[in-house]
Structures are given as structure tokens and as C-alpha cells.
Amino acid sequence: MGETITFWVLAVVSVGAALGMVFNRKAVYSALMLGTVMLSLAVLYAVQDAPFLAAVQIIVYTGAIMMLFLFVLMLVGVDSSDSFVETLKGQRFWAVIAALGFGTLIVVAVGNAVFAPAAGLQQATAGGSGYIRSIALALFTKYVFAFEITSALLITAALAAMVLAHRERLVEKPTQKDLSRARFQGDRPSPLPGPGTYARNNAIDMPALLPDGSVAEASVNRYIARYDVEHDRLPADPRLAEAIKHTAEQDEAPTEAEQDATEHGSEVTK
């Protein structure tokens, strides 16, 4: 009962993700939908008492192959626009032929699954004394040529993507010395503020800004604020000037500990 429920739930998820992979306009979303299909297949393998196939499905296909897809997408560019101009003559004709062939394979596979007699796990693994050994024997004897061709195609696709995404530099790459020289010759020789500091510069006499745009008075140095107020060196921004004035006033006002010490000293004197 649980196996049947798992199958129907994952079947709906797999078919929906497969349709989303085909009809989605963004390549990254299509790759994520393909990852969902692969994970669903891994769960189905685990339910069918095939943990080795489930682990291979997750580690090899979902991990390695999907990372290869995303790597190719990052090389080519996810924001590149599709061209509707045919660069190869007759590609639509051969695309239709390939689609018809693929549809024929799907029909044959469905017919084989529906009308052929069911074979259990024991019958499928009878010749290899275990499903892992049976998979290894089938993979490296009967299907070794197809296995090697698939690996060669994957390597060729990765190399082709790297060749297509490679761009020759029109100018020489700037060195660290060139970058430092350009920085000191520009308007801002000092680095920008660190992440999380909402300020226009990293000077100690300028208050930082909070995410809502208000001034963080806790970032104002009280000694520098008092110096700026005494020498009339307040910034032009009224918000920053008000924050500096308020910090200077708080610095001049006695704290509670100083007031208690003063009152205690007066009582001792009396």
C-alpha cells in the first residue's frame, strides 16, 4: 500500500517536473526541474529495494551531471537571448525526424512495459548473484560500447561548451599594480566601507546609516563629535549634523555614576 502511494505521488511530481523542464523558458529553472525528476527516480529506486541504484542516481546524475549542466549554463550565460535565425541549413527537418524517432521510442517503451510479461528482481539478477553484480556484468559486457559512447558524448559536450563560451581578450588584463595605481589616481583612494555598514565612506568622523536611512548615533565617536561642535566643523547634511550635535551633548552631560559620585562627595564634605 505504501509503495503504491509513493509511486503515484512521485509519478505526478516527476511528470509535472518533466513538463516544467520542457516548457520553461529559463534554462536554470529547467535544470532545477530536471533535478527534481532525478531525485524522484532515486526515491522510486529505493522503494523498489535497489539502494545502489538510488545512491548512484543521487551521487552521479543529480550531483555530477546536474552540476555539469549548471556549469555549462554559467559558461554560456543564463541571460543570453535566443536567436530565431537558422545558422544550420535543414536543422528543422532533422529536428522533426529526431522528434518522430523519439516519439517512436516512447511508444515502444510504453508498449513493452504494458504488454510484456513482468520480470521480478530475482529473475533479473539471477545470472549475477545480486543486483550490483548483475548491473556490473550488463554494463561492462553487453552495454560497454553504449557506456563508453555516453561518457565520450558528455566529455565532448563539456569541451564544446567551454570552446563556445571562450572569448579572447581585446585588451591586456590589468595587474595588481595597475589596479592600485588607478585607485590612487582616482577620486577615492581608500576602500569602500565593509559589508553591513550603511555609510557613504568609512571615515571615523562620519556616522553610519541604518537600513531605513536614519543615522546610527551609536557609530559616532563622542570625542570627535565634541571637537567638531567646538570648532564648527559639522557636515552639510542636516541629519548627520544633528546626530553629531546630539552625541556631543550627551558626552557633555554627566552620567548617573558621575552624579552619584558627586552627591556622595558632597555628603561626605558636609
Side-chain angles (χ1 to χ4, degrees):
M1 185 64 182
E3 180 179 347
T4 305
I5 295 175
T6 304
F7 170 77
W8 284 110
V9 171
L10 292 180
V12 174
V13 174
S14 300
V15 173
L19 293 176
M21 178 193 67
V22 174
F23 293 106
N24 208 308
R25 297 181 62 88
K26 293 186 178 294
V28 176
Y29 294 162
S30 297
L32 294 178
M33 292 295 102
L34 180 59
T36 303
V37 176
M38 292 181 177
L39 290 176
S40 300
L41 290 177
V43 176
L44 289 176
Y45 289 149
V47 171
Q48 294 294 325
D49 295 329
F52 176 75
L53 288 179
V56 169
Q57 182 72 25
I58 293 176
I59 297 173
V60 177
Y61 289 96
T62 310
I65 305 301
M66 281 302 303
M67 290 302 104
L68 178 62
F69 287 167
L70 294 177
F71 180 66
V72 172
L73 289 176
M74 288 187 292
L75 283 176
V76 176
V78 295
D79 56 347
S80 58
S81 59
D82 297 331
S83 177
F84 295 97
V85 179
E86 291 190 16
T87 56
L88 300 176
K89 294 183 179 180
Q91 61 179 357
R92 292 188 179 182
F93 171 76
W94 292 110
V96 172
I97 296 298
L100 292 176
F102 185 70
T104 304
L105 289 177
I106 292 178
V107 172
V108 172
V110 172
N112 189 23
V114 173
F115 299 104
L121 183 63
Q122 294 180 356
Q123 182 180 355
T125 59
S129 64
Y131 67 93
I132 298 179
R133 184 181 294 272
S134 301
I135 293 173
L137 289 175
L139 188 62
F140 293 104
T141 55
K142 184 178 180 180
Y143 301 103
V144 62
F145 182 74
F147 177 75
E148 296 297 334
I149 290 297
T150 304
S151 61
L153 287 177
L154 291 175
I155 296 176
T156 305
L159 293 177
M162 296 176 64
V163 171
L164 292 175
H166 177 71
R167 297 179 181 177
E168 295 291 341
R169 288 187 175 273
L170 300 178
V171 295
E172 187 178 356
K173 183 179 180 180
T175 61
Q176 187 68 27
K177 182 179 180 180
D178 298 333
L179 295 176
S180 300
R181 183 178 299 171
R183 189 184 71 180
F184 280 98
Q185 290 178 353
D187 299 333
R188 181 189 289 273
S190 61
L192 294 174
T197 303
Y198 297 90
R200 298 181 65 87
N201 49 59
N202 60 349
I204 195 174
D205 61 335
M206 296 298 291
L209 300 181
L210 297 176
D212 58 352
S214 59
V215 179
E217 296 185 2
S219 65
V220 181
N221 189 292
R222 56 193 184 96
Y223 299 106
I224 297 180
R226 186 169 56 187
Y227 179 85
D228 290 341
V229 171
E230 292 176 355
H231 293 79
D232 196 16
R233 297 183 58 182
L234 298 176
D237 193 339
R239 296 184 304 166
L240 303 181
E242 183 65 23
I244 293 176
K245 288 181 181 179
H246 189 260
T247 303
E249 292 173 359
Q250 289 182 345
D251 183 56
E252 293 176 357
T255 61
E256 295 181 0
E258 292 176 349
Q259 292 178 357
D260 294 341
T262 303
E263 294 177 357
H264 182 69
S266 60
E267 291 177 359
V268 172
T269 304
K270 292 179 181 180

